[in-house]
PDB file of all heavy atoms in Angstrom:
ATOM      1  N   VAL A 335      -7.356 -18.970  11.462  1.00 79.00           N
ATOM      2  CA  VAL A 335      -7.375 -17.959  10.401  1.00 79.00           C
ATOM      3  C   VAL A 335      -8.785 -17.365  10.323  1.00 79.00           C
ATOM      4  O   VAL A 335      -9.763 -18.047  10.626  1.00 79.00           O
ATOM      5  CB  VAL A 335      -6.959 -18.607   9.064  1.00 79.00           C
ATOM      6  CG1 VAL A 335      -7.145 -17.659   7.900  1.00 79.00           C
ATOM      7  CG2 VAL A 335      -5.512 -19.058   9.146  1.00 79.00           C
ATOM      8  N   PRO A 336      -8.942 -16.091   9.951  1.00 81.00           N
ATOM      9  CA  PRO A 336     -10.272 -15.480   9.873  1.00 81.00           C
ATOM     10  C   PRO A 336     -11.270 -16.305   9.081  1.00 81.00           C
ATOM     11  O   PRO A 336     -10.925 -16.966   8.091  1.00 81.00           O
ATOM     12  CB  PRO A 336      -9.997 -14.123   9.194  1.00 81.00           C
ATOM     13  CG  PRO A 336      -8.603 -13.792   9.596  1.00 81.00           C
ATOM     14  CD  PRO A 336      -7.879 -15.105   9.665  1.00 81.00           C
ATOM     15  N   GLU A 337     -12.525 -16.233   9.514  1.00 86.00           N
ATOM     16  CA  GLU A 337     -13.592 -17.024   8.913  1.00 86.00           C
ATOM     17  C   GLU A 337     -13.730 -16.758   7.422  1.00 86.00           C
ATOM     18  O   GLU A 337     -14.034 -17.675   6.638  1.00 86.00           O
ATOM     19  CB  GLU A 337     -14.909 -16.702   9.628  1.00 86.00           C
ATOM     20  CG  GLU A 337     -16.148 -17.330   9.021  1.00 86.00           C
ATOM     21  CD  GLU A 337     -16.213 -18.848   9.191  1.00 86.00           C
ATOM     22  OE1 GLU A 337     -15.439 -19.371  10.021  1.00 86.00           O
ATOM     23  OE2 GLU A 337     -17.021 -19.490   8.505  1.00 86.00           O
ATOM     24  N   ALA A 338     -13.504 -15.510   7.012  1.00 88.00           N
ATOM     25  CA  ALA A 338     -13.662 -15.178   5.593  1.00 88.00           C
ATOM     26  C   ALA A 338     -12.719 -15.995   4.715  1.00 88.00           C
ATOM     27  O   ALA A 338     -13.071 -16.358   3.585  1.00 88.00           O
ATOM     28  CB  ALA A 338     -13.400 -13.679   5.377  1.00 88.00           C
ATOM     29  N   VAL A 339     -11.537 -16.306   5.215  1.00 89.00           N
ATOM     30  CA  VAL A 339     -10.583 -17.118   4.450  1.00 89.00           C
ATOM     31  C   VAL A 339     -11.106 -18.541   4.305  1.00 89.00           C
ATOM     32  O   VAL A 339     -11.050 -19.137   3.218  1.00 89.00           O
ATOM     33  CB  VAL A 339      -9.204 -17.118   5.133  1.00 89.00           C
ATOM     34  CG1 VAL A 339      -8.227 -18.009   4.380  1.00 89.00           C
ATOM     35  CG2 VAL A 339      -8.653 -15.697   5.224  1.00 89.00           C
ATOM     36  N   ALA A 340     -11.639 -19.094   5.391  1.00 88.00           N
ATOM     37  CA  ALA A 340     -12.182 -20.454   5.343  1.00 88.00           C
ATOM     38  C   ALA A 340     -13.352 -20.551   4.369  1.00 88.00           C
ATOM     39  O   ALA A 340     -13.499 -21.554   3.656  1.00 88.00           O
ATOM     40  CB  ALA A 340     -12.615 -20.888   6.745  1.00 88.00           C
ATOM     41  N   VAL A 341     -14.194 -19.527   4.338  1.00 89.00           N
ATOM     42  CA  VAL A 341     -15.341 -19.532   3.425  1.00 89.00           C
ATOM     43  C   VAL A 341     -14.873 -19.580   1.973  1.00 89.00           C
ATOM     44  O   VAL A 341     -15.419 -20.327   1.153  1.00 89.00           O
ATOM     45  CB  VAL A 341     -16.225 -18.295   3.674  1.00 89.00           C
ATOM     46  CG1 VAL A 341     -17.277 -18.156   2.574  1.00 89.00           C
ATOM     47  CG2 VAL A 341     -16.898 -18.394   5.033  1.00 89.00           C
ATOM     48  N   VAL A 342     -13.847 -18.800   1.642  1.00 90.00           N
ATOM     49  CA  VAL A 342     -13.334 -18.808   0.272  1.00 90.00           C
ATOM     50  C   VAL A 342     -12.769 -20.181  -0.083  1.00 90.00           C
ATOM     51  O   VAL A 342     -13.008 -20.708  -1.173  1.00 90.00           O
ATOM     52  CB  VAL A 342     -12.261 -17.720   0.094  1.00 90.00           C
ATOM     53  CG1 VAL A 342     -11.606 -17.813  -1.284  1.00 90.00           C
ATOM     54  CG2 VAL A 342     -12.877 -16.341   0.288  1.00 90.00           C
ATOM     55  N   VAL A 343     -12.013 -20.777   0.846  1.00 89.00           N
ATOM     56  CA  VAL A 343     -11.407 -22.086   0.582  1.00 89.00           C
ATOM     57  C   VAL A 343     -12.477 -23.138   0.344  1.00 89.00           C
ATOM     58  O   VAL A 343     -12.384 -23.938  -0.592  1.00 89.00           O
ATOM     59  CB  VAL A 343     -10.492 -22.494   1.756  1.00 89.00           C
ATOM     60  CG1 VAL A 343     -10.031 -23.936   1.596  1.00 89.00           C
ATOM     61  CG2 VAL A 343      -9.282 -21.565   1.830  1.00 89.00           C
ATOM     62  N   GLU A 344     -13.535 -23.154   1.163  1.00 88.00           N
ATOM     63  CA  GLU A 344     -14.528 -24.212   1.042  1.00 88.00           C
ATOM     64  C   GLU A 344     -15.512 -23.990  -0.112  1.00 88.00           C
ATOM     65  O   GLU A 344     -16.195 -24.925  -0.526  1.00 88.00           O
ATOM     66  CB  GLU A 344     -15.300 -24.368   2.347  1.00 88.00           C
ATOM     67  CG  GLU A 344     -16.251 -23.249   2.678  1.00 88.00           C
ATOM     68  CD  GLU A 344     -16.951 -23.479   4.008  1.00 88.00           C
ATOM     69  OE1 GLU A 344     -16.603 -24.469   4.691  1.00 88.00           O
ATOM     70  OE2 GLU A 344     -17.829 -22.674   4.372  1.00 88.00           O
ATOM     71  N   ARG A 345     -15.577 -22.789  -0.623  1.00 88.00           N
ATOM     72  CA  ARG A 345     -16.518 -22.521  -1.705  1.00 88.00           C
ATOM     73  C   ARG A 345     -15.837 -22.380  -3.065  1.00 88.00           C
ATOM     74  O   ARG A 345     -16.486 -22.017  -4.048  1.00 88.00           O
ATOM     75  CB  ARG A 345     -17.316 -21.255  -1.390  1.00 88.00           C
ATOM     76  CG  ARG A 345     -18.157 -21.372  -0.128  1.00 88.00           C
ATOM     77  CD  ARG A 345     -19.130 -20.237   0.021  1.00 88.00           C
ATOM     78  NE  ARG A 345     -20.087 -20.202  -1.071  1.00 88.00           N
ATOM     79  CZ  ARG A 345     -20.993 -19.240  -1.228  1.00 88.00           C
ATOM     80  NH1 ARG A 345     -21.030 -18.229  -0.376  1.00 88.00           N
ATOM     81  NH2 ARG A 345     -21.829 -19.270  -2.240  1.00 88.00           N
ATOM     82  N   GLN A 346     -14.553 -22.696  -3.132  1.00 87.00           N
ATOM     83  CA  GLN A 346     -13.825 -22.540  -4.389  1.00 87.00           C
ATOM     84  C   GLN A 346     -14.284 -23.507  -5.461  1.00 87.00           C
ATOM     85  O   GLN A 346     -14.020 -23.283  -6.655  1.00 87.00           O
ATOM     86  CB  GLN A 346     -12.322 -22.716  -4.156  1.00 87.00           C
ATOM     87  CG  GLN A 346     -11.962 -24.082  -3.611  1.00 87.00           C
ATOM     88  CD  GLN A 346     -10.474 -24.256  -3.405  1.00 87.00           C
ATOM     89  OE1 GLN A 346      -9.695 -24.079  -4.327  1.00 87.00           O
ATOM     90  NE2 GLN A 346     -10.084 -24.588  -2.193  1.00 87.00           N
ATOM     91  N   ALA A 347     -14.970 -24.594  -5.098  1.00 85.00           N
ATOM     92  CA  ALA A 347     -15.413 -25.582  -6.084  1.00 85.00           C
ATOM     93  C   ALA A 347     -16.894 -25.445  -6.426  1.00 85.00           C
ATOM     94  O   ALA A 347     -17.429 -26.255  -7.180  1.00 85.00           O
ATOM     95  CB  ALA A 347     -15.129 -27.000  -5.578  1.00 85.00           C
ATOM     96  N   ASP A 348     -17.581 -24.430  -5.876  1.00 85.00           N
ATOM     97  CA  ASP A 348     -18.994 -24.222  -6.188  1.00 85.00           C
ATOM     98  C   ASP A 348     -19.150 -23.683  -7.606  1.00 85.00           C
ATOM     99  O   ASP A 348     -18.209 -23.113  -8.177  1.00 85.00           O
ATOM    100  CB  ASP A 348     -19.615 -23.219  -5.215  1.00 85.00           C
ATOM    101  CG  ASP A 348     -19.697 -23.763  -3.797  1.00 85.00           C
ATOM    102  OD1 ASP A 348     -19.377 -24.951  -3.607  1.00 85.00           O
ATOM    103  OD2 ASP A 348     -20.068 -22.999  -2.890  1.00 85.00           O
ATOM    104  N   PRO A 349     -20.347 -23.821  -8.207  1.00 84.00           N
ATOM    105  CA  PRO A 349     -20.612 -23.115  -9.463  1.00 84.00           C
ATOM    106  C   PRO A 349     -20.413 -21.611  -9.269  1.00 84.00           C
ATOM    107  O   PRO A 349     -20.766 -21.064  -8.223  1.00 84.00           O
ATOM    108  CB  PRO A 349     -22.089 -23.454  -9.747  1.00 84.00           C
ATOM    109  CG  PRO A 349     -22.316 -24.748  -9.026  1.00 84.00           C
ATOM    110  CD  PRO A 349     -21.473 -24.677  -7.793  1.00 84.00           C
ATOM    111  N   TYR A 350     -19.838 -20.936 -10.250  1.00 83.00           N
ATOM    112  CA  TYR A 350     -19.400 -19.561 -10.008  1.00 83.00           C
ATOM    113  C   TYR A 350     -20.551 -18.613  -9.670  1.00 83.00           C
ATOM    114  O   TYR A 350     -20.350 -17.597  -9.016  1.00 83.00           O
ATOM    115  CB  TYR A 350     -18.594 -19.036 -11.188  1.00 83.00           C
ATOM    116  CG  TYR A 350     -19.350 -18.741 -12.463  1.00 83.00           C
ATOM    117  CD1 TYR A 350     -20.153 -17.609 -12.566  1.00 83.00           C
ATOM    118  CD2 TYR A 350     -19.218 -19.551 -13.589  1.00 83.00           C
ATOM    119  CE1 TYR A 350     -20.828 -17.317 -13.740  1.00 83.00           C
ATOM    120  CE2 TYR A 350     -19.877 -19.255 -14.765  1.00 83.00           C
ATOM    121  CZ  TYR A 350     -20.683 -18.145 -14.841  1.00 83.00           C
ATOM    122  OH  TYR A 350     -21.334 -17.853 -16.007  1.00 83.00           O
ATOM    123  N   ARG A 351     -21.774 -18.933 -10.107  1.00 85.00           N
ATOM    124  CA  ARG A 351     -22.904 -18.059  -9.780  1.00 85.00           C
ATOM    125  C   ARG A 351     -23.225 -18.068  -8.288  1.00 85.00           C
ATOM    126  O   ARG A 351     -23.916 -17.183  -7.796  1.00 85.00           O
ATOM    127  CB  ARG A 351     -24.126 -18.474 -10.589  1.00 85.00           C
ATOM    128  CG  ARG A 351     -23.989 -18.232 -12.093  1.00 85.00           C
ATOM    129  CD  ARG A 351     -25.225 -18.673 -12.852  1.00 85.00           C
ATOM    130  NE  ARG A 351     -25.102 -18.398 -14.291  1.00 85.00           N
ATOM    131  CZ  ARG A 351     -24.488 -19.182 -15.154  1.00 85.00           C
ATOM    132  NH1 ARG A 351     -23.912 -20.299 -14.719  1.00 85.00           N
ATOM    133  NH2 ARG A 351     -24.417 -18.862 -16.434  1.00 85.00           N
TER     134      ARG A 351
END
Side-chain angles (χ1 to χ4, degrees):
V335 172
E337 174 69 15
V339 177
V341 170
V342 174
V343 171
E344 71 181 5
R345 298 191 62 185
Q346 61 179 304
D348 293 354
Y350 71 75
R351 293 179 178 83

